[in-house]
Amino acid sequence: MHDETRIVHSGREPERFDGVVNPPVLHASTILARNLAEWEERKRRRAQDLPGTYYGMLGTATTRSLEQALAELEGAHRAVVYPSGLAACVVPILAFVAAGDHVLVTDSVYGPTRRFCEHTLARLGVETTFYDPLAAGAIEALMRPATRVVFVESPGSLTFEVQDVPAIAAAARRHGATVIMDNTWATPLHFRPLAHGVDVSVQAVTKYVGGHSDLILGAAAATEAAWPRLRSATYELGQCAGPDDVYLAQRGLRTMHVRLARQWETGVGLAQWLARRPEVERVLHPGLPGDPGHALWKRDFTGGCGLFGVALKPVAPRALEAFFDGLRLFGIGASWGGYESLIMPVDLAGLRSATRWPLAGPLVRVHAGLEAPEDLRADLEAAFERMRAAGA
Ligand SMILES: *Cc1c(COP(=O)(O)O)cnc(C)c1O
């Protein structure tokens, strides 16, 4: 079956719910048993991790619908949802470490994941080494006997370096470390982590699965070997996503492939146009043939999303302000993956320790939405005009 077909049909069971197409939103804490035998049977099935509904905190048919669909899409044994994308990044790390252990984390990791390693993991006696995202198999030199987790994110947050995930995963495997990947950018539609040697694939469902800027949710999908530890850490840490957000996410999932294809195309078009602008030093987009990550991206990915970076040539602060202020279509805001275009200045301060960002000018992150590409380009063209006028 093709992904487009799978995404439409997986995880839905209309026959269970009077033929209703979408799974219902079940608000639940208590799940009643009809009699003692059913109570005991549920207890037995829960202990064996068999499908079913046991207690609201462990999810209901609403939750299972999304988890089932995501597990199928990822080619995973099982998937589990989290109340945020960040929770989906950090709980899997916690699942595989103990005091005295060591983890390797890409220097281009999502900022809040970095801070979790620097603060919480450090406090628990787990040491983090941040590594060059371009290190590929050379991370082997950083592996220690206590290295339990190798965390990858490709392309990297804010700077979009493409990692050699198969080479990193092979090195990790030789040392018995678990590989966790933040795959939010490509989504399982355009990069399949588990097929490239990753043990746990995580994504911020907030972004493209949600797709409408109205929910916060995360998910992790695991191999059969990684699942038991992931499952127990998830439940022991009380991770439970609300049914309304889960419902919205499963609804968003059904159209994700169409939105992604369009946003990818618009993003590539804008990136190509920006690369020719005199104000631009470099565009950070693995889909462009000139990008340093292009060859790896072409080898491993089947596409991507509408998010990329733009390094501008140095400008005066008031010229940059003129660029942003007056934008009519691009919203200035964090997060991405919704249907609307966004733009944001990027500050790498405190976010890189193993590598040094080489460019001096301001860095900007662009998210292409579903608007007409010509209108978006006109909005940016006017911004460059204001910037030029203010800088003169
Ligand atoms: C947004 C994001 C997250 C966190 O998702 P939230 O739902 O906002 O917590 C994690 N990783 C990446 C790469 C992200 O862009």
Side-chain angles (χ1 to χ4, degrees):
M1 233 194 283
H2 292 85
D3 281 347
E4 296 93 318
T5 309
R6 204 187 308 257
I7 220 172
V8 168
H9 289 276
S10 57
R12 294 197 292 110
E13 298 173 276
E15 62 285 358
R16 249 183 94 186
F17 305 109
D18 294 337
V20 172
V21 171
N22 288 335
V25 184
L26 297 172
H27 286 270
S29 55
T30 298
I31 313 293
L32 297 172
R34 270 171 295 219
N35 51 44
L36 191 60
E38 186 177 316
W39 175 259
E40 295 296 343
E41 172 65 5
R42 282 186 189 215
K43 249 172 71 179
R44 188 187 66 77
R45 289 180 63 85
R46 181 184 163 182
Q48 293 176 17
D49 191 26
L50 292 168
T53 308
Y54 307 104
Y55 177 51
M57 210 288 286
L58 302 172
T60 64
T62 309
T63 330
R64 292 293 102 77
S65 163
L66 180 60
E67 289 174 344
Q68 173 72 31
L70 291 175
E72 278 184 36
L73 200 58
E74 299 260 12
H77 173 64
R78 293 277 286 273
V80 60
V81 293
Y82 293 89
S84 70
L86 181 58
C89 292
V90 305
V91 172
I93 299 177
L94 277 177
F96 292 96
V97 295
D101 286 347
H102 172 243
V103 299
L104 282 172
V105 176
T106 176
D107 208 31
S108 57
V109 76
Y110 176 63
T113 306
R114 167 183 286 268
R115 283 189 281 276
F116 165 81
C117 297
E118 288 170 340
H119 300 158
T120 304
L121 276 194
R123 202 160 38 71
L124 298 176
V126 177
E127 196 187 333
T128 302
T129 300
F130 293 98
Y131 66 90
D132 183 342
L134 305 179
I139 62 143
E140 190 135 17
L142 301 172
M143 305 278 314
R144 305 176 192 171
T147 307
R148 294 283 172 272
V149 167
V150 176
F151 196 97
V152 298
E153 181 180 328
S154 179
S157 268
L158 308 176
T159 43
F160 300 92
E161 298 92 340
V162 179
Q163 297 197 260
D164 191 339
V165 177
I168 291 170
R173 195 161 302 272
R174 280 194 290 277
H175 293 264
T178 297
V179 184
I180 304 171
M181 174 168 185
D182 185 336
N183 189 40
T184 303
W185 185 86
T187 84
L189 281 178
H190 294 298
F191 182 85
R192 199 61 65 78
L194 271 52
H196 289 89
V198 170
D199 301 290
V200 180
S201 165
V202 310
Q203 66 171 323
V205 170
T206 305
K207 307 289 163 58
Y208 278 99
V209 178
H212 295 73
S213 306
D214 55 2
L215 64 90
I216 295 280
L217 209 66
T223 60
E224 192 167 2
W227 173 250
R229 284 186 77 151
L230 182 67
R231 172 183 183 262
S232 63
T234 298
Y235 298 139
E236 283 157 23
L237 288 163
Q239 298 297 301
C240 173
D244 295 299
D245 282 354
V246 171
Y247 175 84
L248 286 173
Q250 75 77 29
R251 192 165 87 153
L253 179 70
R254 309 302 171 191
T255 57
M256 180 169 79
H257 53 302
V258 184
R259 289 182 281 109
L260 262 181
R262 170 65 186 259
Q263 288 175 263
W264 166 256
E265 202 178 298
T266 301
V268 168
L270 284 176
Q272 283 167 337
W273 177 77
L274 284 161
R276 291 193 297 269
R277 292 290 310 190
E279 302 88 346
V280 170
E281 180 72 45
R282 207 169 103 197
V283 172
L284 317 172
H285 193 307
L288 298 197
D291 190 88
H294 184 68
L296 273 181
W297 170 80
K298 214 167 159 178
R299 186 191 73 183
D300 295 343
F301 291 67
T302 58
C305 68
L307 192 79
F308 62 95
V310 183
L312 297 172
K313 289 178 183 159
V315 283
R318 70 194 161 90
L320 193 65
E321 201 174 335
F323 177 91
F324 279 99
D325 294 352
L327 283 165
R328 296 157 63 107
L329 300 177
F330 285 88
I332 304 171
S335 203
W336 42 279
Y339 53 82
E340 82 287 20
S341 290
L342 297 169
I343 195 160
M344 186 185 85
V346 167
D347 184 3
L348 291 177
L351 293 179
R352 297 291 181 273
S353 54
T355 54
R356 215 177 61 82
W357 182 244
L359 304 176
L363 205 55
V364 172
R365 192 181 71 182
V366 178
H367 177 250
L370 292 170
E371 301 94 334
E374 300 77 13
D375 294 338
L376 295 176
R377 206 159 57 212
D379 203 22
L380 291 178
E381 196 148 19
F384 280 127
E385 189 50 41
R386 284 192 306 275
M387 185 166 100
R388 198 191 54 74

